Amino acid sequence: MRTVCLGILSFGEATGYDIKQRFERVYSHFFAAGYGSIYPALAELAAAGLVTRREEAGTGARPRKIYTLTDAGRRALAERLAAAEPHHRVHSDFALLMFLAELLEPARAAAMIDRRLADIRAHLERLTALAREGAPLPAGVEFTRGLGVAALTATARYLEDNRQPFLAALKAQRANRKAHFQHLPTGDSE
Amino acid sequence: MRTVCLGILSFGEATGYDIKQRFERVYSHFFAAGYGSIYPALAELAAAGLVTRREEAGTGARPRKIYTLTDAGRRALAERLAAAEPHHRVHSDFALLMFLAELLEPARAAAMIDRRLADIRAHLERLTALAREGAPLPAGVEFTRGLGVAALTATARYLEDNRQPFLAALKAQRANRKAHFQHLPTGDSE
DNA sequence: TCAGACATGTAATAAGTTACATGATTAG
DNA sequence: CTAATCATGTAACTTATTACATGTCTGA
């Protein structure tokens, strides 16, 4: 998280609030963060001298605290990036739900797919809006944007194409299982 | 994690070791776990009466501990799945590296892309091997497999197609920036 | 007047990662 | 003989999530 905040700040100074907004506009398909992660990270970075903070009266109730990368921060960021491993991990409760779809009511499985699709579409809209903004994006940002669009588009397409047959298979299986249970002499269920 | 272990066990009894293997064969593109998560989770599930454990001499130095879902476990799993939100979060250091690629040496950016590609190809191989196994997969497993294949294939394709132009753009930018710096009267860098 | 954007932060909790510790058997 | 596979677990550490706490201004 600290590295991510440094990264966002490398594009220009920002408040904690700003950082979250930028994040969401530009990068949320690869990384999510709440204020509960951002503010503590910023405090640590300030304590380590990697950013400076300046206060300014804002429109809200409190003064905004504007964070700026220092030279040390810029160096630390470059070092961290030079040493980082390109890990990529997904943690998908949605996928778990689908993986175990046989244990779900088909209507719920359908609802989950629809919610995931809505979520993906929202992401895609944000990413295409970003491209329509006029000012060309830095190469890295544009590359990452394209990567997100590619993965999300393919996922949405798969979900759209396979939703119906999948749900039909689940329903058929349910029916089968019920019919099967009916002539089994089980002692514990139903 | 507890839910995931219950989910894997819903396909049949297994040891902690087995759970990790199955995971990796079938689901690793959506969820990764180490033994440090699995064994404690299993211990908690046993304490809660959701699984039972039986010991058996194995081929290794220690007895294997085979975990089996209880009826209570099956019910708990169904309840959790019925209540779960379909969250999906990605945490990609790789994407961060690309996002900030301007701060990286182009050779390193190239290496990172290649590593990510190798990783994706390994995942895809595992997933296609799974389909070639003969026995038809449960609908949910097959759906999740397909979802992974779709997303990973699209990502690989994007990386392959955009690698060259992206790296070229980065190099050009570097050259520009250097040329620019040469006739700037900076006092702090180099 | 009411929702939503602006704006910051803390505390408690939950979760996951890494490193450590052990050691037999088997295939090359 | 050596590497890999089988096999389990703990402890320390790091990290993120959630809920809480506060409060103003603006537009509908």
Side-chain angles (χ1 to χ4, degrees):
Chain A
M1 194 63 239
R2 290 191 231 88
T3 310
V4 185
C5 286
L6 286 177
I8 298 276
L9 289 173
S10 79
F11 293 104
E13 53 176 38
T15 65
Y17 192 83
D18 292 338
I19 288 176
K20 187 159 188 264
Q21 309 307 307
R22 287 192 199 168
F23 232 151
E24 276 164 14
R25 237 168 44 97
V26 122
Y27 190 56
S28 57
H29 49 302
F30 284 126
F31 216 117
Y35 295 120
S37 315
I38 292 170
Y39 287 117
L42 249 17
E44 282 167 51
L45 291 173
L50 304 183
V51 300
T52 52
R53 109 172 92 184
R54 153 172 61 94
E55 280 189 34
E56 207 172 76
T59 140
R62 314 192 176 190
R64 323 170 64 210
K65 292 186 183 163
I66 302 165
Y67 291 87
T68 311
L69 215 51
T70 63
D71 281 342
R74 214 166 280 278
R75 251 179 287 127
L77 176 57
E79 273 162 36
R80 280 180 205 196
L81 293 179
E85 294 289 306
H87 292 308
H88 179 91
R89 67 173 26 120
V90 182
H91 185 301
S92 180
D93 291 344
F94 168 70
L96 181 63
L97 251 14
M98 293 303 106
F99 192 74
L100 303 173
E102 278 88 353
L103 305 177
L104 247 46
E105 283 178 49
R108 183 161 153 82
M112 296 298 100
I113 293 175
D114 293 340
R115 279 171 67 175
R116 180 82 191 110
L117 266 171
D119 200 41
I120 291 173
R121 287 190 191 121
H123 271 291
L124 279 171
E125 255 165 62
R126 243 178 289 138
L127 291 176
T128 54
L130 194 59
R132 266 191 266 101
E133 269 174 23
L137 299 168
V141 176
E142 176 54 27
F143 185 75
T144 313
R145 191 190 75 83
L147 190 60
V149 170
L152 291 171
T153 304
T155 304
R157 200 144 202 244
Y158 179 86
L159 291 177
E160 284 158 6
D161 292 349
N162 292 278
R163 198 193 110 103
Q164 288 302 336
F166 175 49
L167 293 173
L170 287 181
K171 274 175 210 157
Q173 214 164 64
R174 279 232 147 182
N176 268 345
R177 203 179 289 179
K178 248 178 209 154
H180 186 58
F181 279 150
Q182 276 170 0
H183 52 81
L184 267 185
T186 55
D188 50 24
S189 63
E190 297 296 309
Chain B
M1 194 63 239
R2 290 192 231 87
T3 310
V4 185
C5 286
L6 285 177
I8 297 278
L9 288 174
S10 78
F11 293 105
E13 53 177 37
T15 66
Y17 191 84
D18 292 338
I19 287 177
K20 187 159 188 263
Q21 308 307 307
R22 287 193 198 169
F23 233 147
E24 275 164 14
R25 238 168 42 97
V26 121
Y27 191 57
S28 57
H29 48 302
F30 284 126
F31 216 117
Y35 294 120
S37 314
I38 292 171
Y39 287 118
L42 250 17
E44 282 168 51
L45 291 173
L50 305 183
V51 299
T52 53
R53 108 171 94 182
R54 153 170 60 93
E55 281 190 33
E56 208 172 74
T59 141
R62 314 193 175 189
R64 323 169 65 211
K65 292 187 183 163
I66 302 164
Y67 291 86
T68 311
L69 215 52
T70 62
D71 281 343
R74 214 166 279 278
R75 252 179 285 126
L77 176 58
E79 273 163 36
R80 280 181 206 197
L81 293 180
E85 294 289 306
H87 293 308
H88 179 91
R89 64 173 29 119
V90 182
H91 184 302
S92 180
D93 291 345
F94 168 70
L96 182 63
L97 251 13
M98 293 302 107
F99 192 74
L100 303 172
E102 278 88 355
L103 305 176
L104 248 44
E105 284 178 49
R108 184 161 152 82
M112 295 298 100
I113 293 175
D114 293 339
R115 280 172 67 176
R116 180 82 191 110
L117 267 171
D119 200 40
I120 290 173
R121 287 189 191 121
H123 271 291
L124 279 171
E125 255 165 61
R126 243 178 288 136
L127 291 176
T128 54
L130 194 60
R132 266 192 266 101
E133 268 173 23
L137 299 169
V141 176
E142 176 54 27
F143 186 75
T144 312
R145 193 191 74 83
L147 190 60
V149 169
L152 291 171
T153 303
T155 304
R157 205 151 193 236
Y158 179 86
L159 291 177
E160 284 158 6
D161 291 349
N162 292 278
R163 198 193 111 105
Q164 288 302 336
F166 175 49
L167 293 173
L170 287 181
K171 273 176 211 159
Q173 213 164 65
R174 279 235 146 180
N176 267 345
R177 201 180 292 178
K178 249 180 207 151
H180 187 58
F181 279 151
Q182 276 172 1
H183 52 82
L184 268 184
T186 55
D188 50 23
S189 64
E190 302 284 318

